[in-house]
Amino acid sequence: MNASLHPSIVPRRLWAQARRWAVAWWRIIYLGAVVMVLMLSPSSYGRATRWRLARHMYQDTAPILLGFTVLAALISLVITRIVVVTALSYGLSRYALEMVIRVLVLELIPLTAALFVAMRATIPNGTQLALMRQSGHLQALRQRGADPVRMELLPRVVAGVYASITLAALSCVVALVMAYLGVYGLNTAGLPVYTRMFGQVFAPQITLVFVLKTVFFSLAVALIPMASGLYESGDARQAQQPDSELGGLARMFAVLLLIEVISLMGNYY
């Protein structure tokens, strides 16, 4: 019988997989707690850290801000047109704009902004952190008495959170403007109806859920790739394989999906 299929091997493999899964999630939770404490600590914002933080915030936000804003505007116009035409064909035109705002602004824009920041900024930053760990740069910082988490990881996490929230906020404003233009055109005749409908959609409970979802999205895409890059794989045989990076991506998408499901339950149940 093949040794890989031997019955005694299966429990050990399941135990090893469960152990790696538990350790990975524990590291994310622990690192998140450490980062939150450092973010709230004034001592984390010394002169060197402020310079690193400003550099990462600019590099992670400025290059993608214009492109994502244009993309959000185009998507908003297309979705608005599709929803309006479909609603007119079914005689539901008065619900079209509210549906656009609920689907586009409340649901799609925050998730799209978080994924865009993850692909363009935080996942590459996590890879850089892994290369620093493998090259011995983080260990050299420890030997000099510096904290690698404070010096290298914290600026990247804060920059990722800032980029995600900035893109989501700006894109939501652009989407609201494009939705209005797509329905009413270049005139102010629909402003009273639009503002009244906007106030009905963004009730206090909906606004709170929207803000919390955006913040947790930004924390997830900023923190989980950093955790994957900071810690080594527990299995030496897996050290040269991309298993840990793929696992980090899977955990990030799982957290984003969980946040989205919880937000939908908070909004509609």
Side-chain angles (χ1 to χ4, degrees):
M1 181 179 291
N2 192 345
S4 62
L5 299 179
H6 195 275
S8 62
I9 301 297
V10 176
R12 290 203 296 268
R13 286 186 176 179
L14 291 176
W15 168 251
Q17 184 68 27
R19 182 177 177 274
R20 286 196 299 269
W21 180 85
V23 169
W25 282 109
W26 168 249
R27 285 171 172 173
I28 292 172
I29 296 172
Y30 171 77
L31 186 63
V34 171
V35 168
M36 291 300 296
V37 171
L38 291 177
M39 288 175 63
L40 298 176
S41 176
S43 61
S44 300
Y45 302 97
R47 179 176 300 179
T49 307
R50 287 199 302 269
W51 181 83
R52 291 172 182 266
L53 181 59
R55 177 169 60 88
H56 282 289
M57 290 173 68
Y58 175 80
Q59 291 177 348
D60 290 355
T61 306
I64 63 177
L65 187 60
L66 179 60
F68 185 77
T69 303
V70 173
L71 179 63
L74 293 176
I75 293 176
S76 301
L77 283 176
V78 171
I79 293 180
T80 300
R81 183 61 181 171
I82 292 173
V83 172
V84 169
V85 171
T86 305
L88 285 174
S89 65
Y90 287 97
L92 301 173
S93 57
R94 65 173 182 167
Y95 302 109
L97 195 55
E98 180 178 349
M99 187 183 304
V100 168
I101 292 179
R102 286 186 178 275
V103 174
L104 187 63
V105 178
L106 291 180
E107 308 302 338
L108 291 183
I109 291 295
L111 181 59
T112 306
L115 292 175
F116 199 81
V117 171
M119 297 301 176
R120 293 293 302 272
T122 59
I123 292 177
N125 283 339
T127 303
Q128 292 178 2
L129 205 64
L131 294 176
M132 290 180 186
R133 171 177 54 79
Q134 294 171 3
S135 64
H137 175 70
L138 301 183
Q139 184 62 31
L141 289 177
R142 293 189 185 95
Q143 292 176 353
R144 294 201 301 264
D147 184 6
V149 175
R150 191 188 300 264
M151 296 296 296
E152 298 292 348
L153 186 139
L154 181 63
R156 289 174 168 83
V157 172
V158 174
V161 172
Y162 174 79
S164 181
I165 293 177
T166 301
L167 261 64
L170 181 60
S171 301
C172 286
V173 174
V174 171
L176 290 171
V177 174
M178 292 297 104
Y180 178 86
L181 294 178
V183 175
Y184 297 104
L186 293 173
N187 61 78
T188 59
L191 277 178
V193 177
Y194 188 73
T195 53
R196 188 182 311 113
M197 184 271 302
F198 178 83
Q200 292 174 353
V201 172
F202 280 86
Q205 177 186 352
I206 302 296
T207 304
L208 178 61
V209 172
F210 172 75
V211 171
L212 291 177
K213 178 174 68 173
T214 304
V215 172
F216 283 119
F217 274 168
S218 63
L219 288 173
V221 299
L223 184 63
I224 295 177
M226 299 302 118
S228 300
L230 182 64
Y231 294 109
E232 296 183 5
S233 175
D235 190 351
R237 293 174 297 182
Q238 304 288 336
Q240 302 301 324
Q241 299 181 10
D243 197 42
S244 59
E245 295 183 4
L246 294 177
L249 291 177
R251 285 186 287 272
M252 185 186 72
F253 285 119
V255 171
L256 293 178
L257 179 61
L258 178 62
I259 295 171
E260 181 65 29
V261 170
I262 293 175
S263 70
L264 290 173
M265 294 174 61
N267 286 335
Y268 303 109
Y269 284 95

